[in-house]
Amino acid sequence: MTEARITVNGKETPISPAAPHTTALDFLRERGLTGTKEGCAEGECGACSVLVARPGVNKPTDWVAVNACLVPAAALDGQEIITSEGLATPGEPGTPATLHPVQSEMASRGGSQCGYCTPGFICSMASEYYRPDRCAHGDSADGADAAEGHDAEHGPNGFDLHALSGNLCRCTGYRPIRDAAFAVGEPTDEDPLAQRREQDPPAPVATEYSQDDSTFLRKNTLAETLQLLSERPDAVVVAGSTDYGVEVNIRSRRADCVVAIDRLAELRELRVESDHIELGAALTLTEIERRLDGEVPLLAELFPQFASRLIRNGATLGGNLGTGSPIGDSPPVLLALEASLVLAGVDGERVVPLADYFTGYRQSVRRPGELIRAVRIPTPLSPVTAFHKIAKRRFDDISSVAVGFALDIQDGIVRKARIGLGGVAATPIRALATEAALEGRPWSTETVEAAARVLRGEGTPMSDHRASSLYRSAMLGQSLLKLHAQTPEAVSS
């Protein structure tokens, strides 16, 4: 087994002697790269953002921004990362470095105040700067205002401000940061990081990294991984580490054995078959979003409301379902889509409807040693869909209530209704009584108001710091009324 190493700003760096639980953030700072900061240690502030070379969607390689505070350094074995220090071009001895275009715009437009958050903003901005399908939509003299016909969150240079949704500035310097984002141009042909996109990303490597009686492991194949998990049922399985990283940082969790599955080829396939779409459980949400490109409208509506771009660049559907959280955003949508899970173990695979998967609070039918290999969504899709997320913030927040709708309405009659709910029970659930109250009836105000009263009684909502039980029940009913108000009276498949 070769020594675990990460290529940081073009230089190979051994991970040793860092402990297996050491985050990439701490690993970098211990090596003098202190532009990477810790603000929240939960993946909410973006001060720790770095760029990772990952398999691309439109080019061989994408520069993807991730939260270094959540990713174990060992998970980056064999991979290539760029920090804020690595974006500038070093000068000759005795001369200053040449700022990267993103850094230059941030400096000239006053985008840095106290400076603590600035390196993280710059890395997230650089990821969007290098997005291959970013293209200008119009001309702007100073880049501060969006081109005519474009909303305030998308610049004339094609820059999507949602790329910065996971970065916080506590000095309230958002306007100049926005100005800088909307002013950056296109990478030049001589830009080495732009050229790097044309080459393949680092191939996944098998990792066996141990320090102080704890081990981080990554196998080459799914079969090897399943055999390992059958021998080590106590192992913690990680993909994007967006959940496990919080446990390490906030709750000081120290697992004896961690097994990474994020680069397993068998878990990273996306296939469109004649009767279903199969999404690999280790594909990141960003990869699914960009590869589907709106083919599943309900998922397209979910993704922008699922945490931040930084989190979506690491988080996976398999991880969101594997944790069994009753307030995860994907289960209500996938329940409405009638999704099934492909569970893989040493004895083979089995397919379980998602509606039968959850058995209790953070419990499921998944057996010890089994992994979620893929999520299957049957087709054709219902034509009327919506995802309603009720939370305290517009974006990047945990749901108080989440509702996924998928309806077939023909000649004004509801032929089929599927409704998934989150945040109103110990598990994500289907609103079966409400579905029955809709099916076979006219899509009319009378029907919907009656069904909304039924929907208010679904689940067993509780009161906590996010919302009261009465509020949650009220929002359930209101969500169906909202759907009806936004949907034509008669819809044909």
Side-chain angles (χ1 to χ4, degrees):
M1 188 68 65
T2 59
E3 182 182 28
R5 306 174 73 89
I6 307 171
T7 299
V8 182
N9 297 334
K11 180 181 178 180
E12 279 200 354
T13 306
I15 296 175
S16 179
H21 69 264
T22 301
T23 64
L25 165 68
D26 288 338
F27 168 81
L28 293 168
R29 291 185 61 82
E30 288 167 1
R31 282 151 183 80
L33 296 170
T34 53
T36 311
K37 303 288 198 298
E38 179 179 300
C40 67
E42 294 183 284
E44 291 206 18
C45 76
C48 63
S49 172
V50 298
L51 297 173
V52 182
R54 290 274 172 81
V57 176
N58 298 304
K59 286 185 179 292
T61 291
D62 280 346
W63 285 112
V64 177
V66 300
N67 292 112
C69 76
L70 299 178
V71 181
L76 298 173
D77 177 25
Q79 298 191 44
E80 181 179 345
I81 70 174
I82 300 291
T83 70
S84 59
E85 294 93 342
L87 287 171
T89 303
E92 297 296 328
T95 62
T98 301
L99 291 180
H100 186 276
V102 167
Q103 295 171 321
S104 179
E105 292 294 350
M106 283 283 279
S108 65
R109 295 176 187 275
S112 178
Q113 294 192 34
C114 82
Y116 194 92
C117 70
T118 304
F121 265 101
I122 284 173
C123 285
S124 292
M125 196 179 295
S127 177
E128 178 68 3
Y129 175 76
Y130 288 114
R131 178 165 59 86
D133 57 351
R134 180 178 68 88
C135 58
H137 299 299
D139 298 323
S140 177
D142 63 4
D145 295 312
E148 183 178 354
H150 293 274
D151 63 58
E153 294 170 349
H154 296 81
N157 59 354
F159 194 102
D160 182 359
L161 276 185
H162 288 277
L164 307 181
S165 64
N167 295 81
L168 298 181
C169 171
R170 292 178 175 86
C171 298
T172 66
Y174 290 114
R175 176 56 190 263
I177 292 172
R178 173 180 176 269
D179 292 349
F182 286 178
V184 295
E186 297 292 323
T188 65
D189 293 338
E190 295 75 29
D191 186 327
L193 295 183
Q195 294 174 350
R196 178 67 183 82
R197 299 177 303 179
E198 307 298 333
Q199 305 164 18
D200 290 335
V205 298
T207 300
E208 186 173 334
Y209 181 72
S210 298
Q211 294 282 348
D212 302 325
D213 298 324
S214 61
T215 303
F216 187 98
L217 300 170
R218 175 184 282 112
K219 296 295 186 180
N220 285 315
T221 68
L222 175 60
E224 291 175 325
T225 303
L226 293 173
Q227 182 60 42
L228 170 63
L229 293 177
S230 71
E231 299 167 357
R232 294 294 303 266
D234 61 319
V236 174
V237 177
V238 298
S241 295
T242 55
D243 189 75
Y244 175 68
V246 176
E247 294 285 323
V248 168
N249 293 334
I250 305 302
R251 299 180 177 86
S252 299
R253 186 175 184 183
R254 303 290 183 261
D256 292 334
C257 179
V258 175
V259 177
I261 61 171
D262 56 315
R263 311 317 296 168
L264 291 177
E266 299 93 334
L267 272 63
R268 291 184 48 77
E269 298 177 348
L270 191 156
R271 299 202 305 267
V272 179
E273 306 289 353
S274 60
D275 61 349
H276 70 271
I277 298 171
E278 184 165 296
L279 308 174
L283 287 168
T284 69
L285 300 184
T286 292
E287 288 174 319
I288 295 173
E289 177 185 10
R290 291 179 175 166
R291 289 176 63 177
L292 283 179
D293 194 22
E295 190 167 343
V296 182
L298 187 49
L299 285 178
E301 192 172 349
L302 161 70
F303 290 135
Q305 300 180 69
F306 192 116
S308 67
R309 176 61 69 191
L310 278 171
I311 292 295
R312 295 197 296 275
N313 286 344
T316 64
L317 283 182
N320 200 229
L321 297 170
T323 62
S325 171
I327 53 174
D329 282 342
S330 71
V333 165
L334 295 173
L335 284 168
L337 292 171
E338 297 184 279
S340 295
L341 304 185
V342 182
L343 303 180
V346 290
D347 296 326
E349 293 187 349
R350 59 191 180 115
V351 179
V352 176
L354 183 59
D356 299 332
Y357 174 74
F358 300 105
T359 59
Y361 179 72
R362 291 190 179 272
Q363 296 178 335
S364 72
V365 298
R366 186 162 54 89
R367 300 164 184 157
E370 277 190 324
L371 289 176
I372 302 173
R373 183 183 66 76
V375 177
R376 285 182 183 169
I377 299 172
T379 55
L381 302 170
S382 297
V384 178
T385 60
F387 175 61
H388 294 169
K389 177 174 177 173
I390 294 90
K392 293 182 180 297
R393 296 195 302 259
R394 184 180 174 202
F395 293 111
D396 199 8
D397 199 6
I398 295 174
S399 299
S400 297
V401 176
V403 187
F405 293 102
L407 282 70
D408 287 333
I409 305 173
Q410 300 178 29
D411 300 324
I413 303 297
V414 181
R415 304 299 181 185
K416 179 181 175 182
R418 295 292 181 266
I419 304 172
L421 307 179
V424 296
T427 68
I429 61 172
R430 279 259 304 275
L432 298 175
T434 306
E435 293 172 2
L438 288 170
E439 289 181 343
R441 293 175 173 81
W443 183 240
S444 63
T445 300
E446 181 181 9
T447 297
V448 171
E449 287 181 348
R453 289 192 290 271
V454 176
L455 186 53
R456 291 187 188 102
E458 298 271 20
T460 54
M462 60 180 288
S463 296
D464 59 19
H465 64 284
R466 293 191 184 93
S468 68
S469 60
L470 291 177
Y471 178 82
R472 286 187 162 102
S473 295
M475 289 301 99
L476 288 178
Q478 195 65 26
S479 66
L480 184 57
L481 298 176
K482 177 181 178 180
L483 176 67
H484 182 254
Q486 296 176 338
T487 305
E489 287 293 327
V491 180
S492 296
S493 298

